[in-house]
Amino acid sequence: EGPTDADLMNDAASTGDVLTYGMGPQAHRFSALSAINAGNVARLVPAFAASLGGEKQRGQEAQPIVYDGMIYVTGSYSRLFAFDARTGEEKWQYDARLPDGIMPCCDVVNRGAAIYGDKIIFATLDARLVALNRHTGKVIWNKQTADYQAGYSATAAPIIVKGKVIYGNSGGEFGVVGAVEARDVNTGELVWRRPTIEGHMGALNGKDNGITGKTNATWAGDLWKTGGGATWLGGTYDPETNLLFFGTGNPSPWNSHLRPGDNLYTSSTLAIDPDTGVIKWHYQTTPHDGWDFDGVNEFIPFDATINGKPMKLGAKADRNGYFFVLDRTNGKFIGAHKFVMQTTWADGFNAKTGRPNYIAANRPGAPGAAGEKGGSVFASPSFLGGKNWMPMAYSQDTGLFYIPSNDWGMDIWNEGIAYKKGAAYLGAGFTIKSIADDHIGALRAMDPRTGKIVWEYKNKAPLWGGVLTTGGNLVFTGTPEGYLKAFDAKTGQELWKFQTGSGVVGSPVTWEQDGEQYVAVMSGWGGAVPLWGGEVAKSFKDINQGGSLWVFKLPK
Ligand code: PQQ
């Protein structure tokens, strides 16, 4: 009863439902549906909206799951809602009872659930994984995955592969140790665990399964014990190579002068065997990161012919401002293309070594001997990234990636810091600033074969929502100003917009139901920008909060 492993693997091709975060394990966020298309999208109207209610609102970053006449969405403050997909009527709601003292760094968000059999599964801000009966909302199992009092939390959608629910952790600003874990989807029992920081021991079926990396070779002293590298955005899966791809976050603390070395495997993409939790390859996008350039962003498998050779590739638009193309069978570097206005920290990548050409003068200065503030530098992108968590989409029709990106910078400086359990562990200070008069956000169409931007759409506020592309030659994404917008996938021309009443920071989906195509997105402004955006946050302080699911279709 309910979706099977085979159904999840087939999600990209099955147009009648949306079973996985990413609309397929490879997370292309592409649907072949074309009933709504560039020729008629201007007529798109709401079918219904559903409120998440509650006194507390904040960021609604979820991607809906659609199955068997139901829409499942997660909400802020670790809530999960089941709505009737034809009427929007609420069928049930689950509210996690969150303890005092949770420490999410960047708003009380959640990005979505995973569905399997009779279960719907999601992660909570107190670092639990909860499986509910999808018909009733009753708890089937509920597991503590990490210690929230040490700063661990969870915000990402889990991924289910071969009967295992696989997920990451959050807490990189508190000196946690990143990890990827797999549990039996039916019982919630741990199957394997893979820490992301060199020196930590992995586990498989209750036994040790080898340490990560080569002891703690790329870390100084004991710093590997609190090294960060949180896997806070979850992962993608490629059935062709049988590899999971998980990104890892910033090293802890932010102050890079305190931790000489590459600090493996922070700010990297890891390819992991889903059966054992063993790391098959890694590629580090920002070795020895000093700007909070988490490498967590989604790594999307795709195939293309490069220099006359058909290749199995993968792409990631990194927080550091570069779009990476790797050979996904072995992690070999193919190319890194700048997709933002400015990258002050590096001037491209070395094609042979795959390492950045650092501009040493643009690393924030070392703090003084007594921990006094070091020299401040202007750095771009800002620590919120050329692209943050909001997922890009890949069109199998146009061969283009659609990247929700941002052009901004920051003043950043370092200061002394010592690790203390449950306390912020940065050793840095910062203020985010605009670098252009007319925009921060830019939706960019990237050709992964050439590294060229084919078109761009500029938006005044930072873009903070996911992207969807369809066989109707369309690209959908939301804006903090409250609009869900549709663009021509080939030209970038804006074709349609709808005001949802609050900022859109969710990820849109599409499916077919009773012979009609639907589009759905969450509305509700929040996430890291209003909390950490400095001068930028001040300019957008008037955006209203909210919490609604909006569903659209063409009029009959
Ligand atoms: N979350 C957001 C958001 O939802 O808007 C933005 C960020 C996070 C960041 O910019 C982060 O650096 C970040 N870092 C961690 C971490 O290092 O553990 C976790 C999260 C999160 O779980 O949301 C974010």
Side-chain angles (χ1 to χ4, degrees):
E1 190 245 354
T4 62
D5 286 309
D7 293 336
L8 301 186
M9 292 306 120
N10 191 41
D11 190 32
S14 68
T15 49
D17 49 36
V18 179
L19 302 178
T20 55
Y21 184 78
M23 298 178 63
Q26 296 181 324
H28 285 180
R29 298 183 181 276
F30 171 81
S31 167
L33 290 175
S34 60
I36 300 170
N37 56 55
N40 62 19
V41 71
R43 294 168 38 224
L44 203 61
V45 288
F48 59 82
S51 172
L52 303 196
E55 290 163 37
K56 299 174 180 170
Q57 297 186 324
R58 303 218 58 92
Q60 309 297 351
E61 292 186 351
Q63 180 219 290
I65 294 289
V66 184
Y67 181 70
D68 194 20
M70 299 290 285
I71 302 177
Y72 300 95
V73 293
T74 57
S76 54
Y77 296 97
S78 305
R79 294 173 293 164
L80 203 157
F81 295 77
F83 295 112
D84 184 301
R86 292 187 175 82
T87 63
E89 186 191 335
E90 184 180 310
K91 293 296 186 188
W92 55 260
Q93 169 180 348
Y94 172 82
D95 282 42
R97 238 179 267 144
L98 296 173
D100 291 339
I102 54 168
M103 285 175 252
C105 69
C106 310
D107 202 6
V108 286
V109 293
N110 186 280
R111 305 194 183 88
I115 191 168
Y116 190 91
D118 62 349
K119 295 178 195 62
I120 185 104
I121 300 171
F122 82 123
T124 62
L125 291 165
D126 56 344
R128 287 177 168 274
L129 198 65
V130 183
L132 305 172
N133 179 298
R134 67 180 168 84
H135 301 291
T136 63
K138 294 278 176 298
V139 175
I140 297 175
W141 52 258
N142 181 339
K143 301 284 179 187
Q144 189 76 52
T145 60
D147 177 7
Y148 70 86
Q149 290 174 319
Y152 287 92
S153 58
T155 56
I159 178 171
I160 295 175
V161 177
K162 298 190 236 182
K164 290 193 273 294
V165 52
I166 304 169
Y167 56 93
N169 59 9
S170 298
E173 272 60 70
F174 301 94
V176 306
V177 174
V180 182
E181 292 185 347
R183 287 174 187 264
D184 183 309
V185 69
N186 290 314
T187 63
E189 292 309 315
L190 189 70
V191 179
W192 57 254
R193 168 164 222 281
R194 174 53 50 194
T196 62
I197 301 293
E198 273 197 338
H200 294 268
M201 181 60 78
L204 173 64
N205 296 323
K207 297 202 179 78
D208 283 356
N209 192 30
I211 60 167
T212 296
K214 298 188 183 80
T215 64
N216 46 333
T218 62
W219 291 84
D222 274 351
L223 281 168
W224 61 283
K225 291 183 180 166
T226 50
T231 49
W232 59 270
L233 199 47
T236 59
Y237 173 68
D238 177 35
E240 281 180 50
T241 55
N242 189 35
L243 289 174
L244 290 164
F245 303 111
F246 270 71
T248 62
N250 59 284
S252 301
W254 287 20
N255 179 344
S256 62
H257 298 281
L258 297 177
R259 45 170 172 73
D262 278 356
N263 311 134
L264 291 171
Y265 294 107
T266 63
S267 302
S268 300
T269 293
L270 304 181
I272 297 176
D273 180 339
D275 304 312
T276 63
V278 167
I279 296 175
K280 294 293 188 177
W281 58 255
H282 76 275
Y283 175 76
Q284 193 173 34
T285 40
T286 314
H288 194 223
D289 166 45
W291 303 265
D292 189 33
F293 287 156
D294 294 44
V296 293
N297 288 353
E298 66 286 357
F299 182 80
I300 298 190
F302 73 107
D303 296 341
T305 299
I306 304 259
N307 301 330
K309 196 174 152 210
M311 294 191 75
K312 284 190 198 309
L313 302 166
K316 172 168 82 160
D318 200 89
R319 195 140 141 170
N320 69 18
Y322 287 90
F323 179 88
F324 292 89
V325 178
L326 307 181
D327 180 334
R328 74 175 185 272
T329 66
N330 55 22
K332 206 173 144 294
F333 178 86
I334 304 293
H337 313 291
K338 190 161 93 169
F339 66 90
V340 291
M341 269 172 62
Q342 196 182 28
T343 58
T344 58
W345 66 281
D347 179 18
F349 277 66
N350 181 306
K352 279 220 180 69
T353 62
R355 289 178 72 90
N357 305 318
Y358 277 115
I359 301 172
N362 287 346
R363 182 179 288 270
E372 321 87 279
K373 189 175 155 179
S376 180
V377 297
F378 178 77
S380 182
S382 80
F383 73 93
L384 289 179
K387 172 185 169 298
N388 203 290
W389 71 271
M390 51 285 185
M392 61 183 180
Y394 172 69
S395 168
Q396 293 159 17
D397 286 349
T398 63
L400 302 175
F401 281 87
Y402 300 99
I403 310 173
S405 68
N406 290 309
D407 293 319
W408 48 12
M410 63 180 166
D411 291 330
I412 178 168
W413 59 90
N414 288 149
E415 55 206 19
I417 185 83
Y419 175 78
K420 187 164 163 280
K421 183 182 169 183
Y425 186 44
L426 304 188
F430 46 81
T431 339
I432 291 195
K433 301 191 155 166
S434 299
I435 57 171
D437 292 335
D438 59 339
H439 77 284
I440 294 172
L443 178 63
R444 293 185 162 117
M446 160 69 74
D447 185 335
R449 291 154 299 186
T450 62
K452 296 268 172 342
I453 307 284
V454 177
W455 58 258
E456 68 180 1
Y457 157 81
K458 291 178 179 171
N459 195 70
K460 196 145 186 37
L463 289 178
W464 216 252
V467 182
L468 162 71
T469 181
T470 75
N473 187 34
L474 290 173
V475 175
F476 289 88
T477 201
T479 70
E481 290 89 339
Y483 291 101
L484 179 65
K485 293 194 171 193
F487 303 88
D488 183 305
K490 294 199 187 85
T491 67
Q493 191 194 344
E494 185 179 318
L495 301 173
W496 171 82
K497 66 176 176 182
F498 179 86
Q499 174 56 245
T500 65
S502 179
V504 177
V505 296
S507 298
V509 295
T510 190
W511 74 99
E512 185 175 41
Q513 177 175 292
D514 308 327
E516 290 177 286
Q517 185 182 351
Y518 287 74
V519 172
V521 74
M522 291 299 301
S523 167
W525 173 233
V529 177
L531 296 174
W532 295 105
E535 289 175 18
V536 167
K538 279 188 210 136
S539 343
F540 300 104
K541 68 177 177 358
D542 294 330
I543 297 175
N544 289 328
Q545 292 197 21
S548 302
L549 167 72
W550 282 94
V551 178
F552 304 90
K553 64 179 187 122
L554 292 171
K556 275 245 169 76

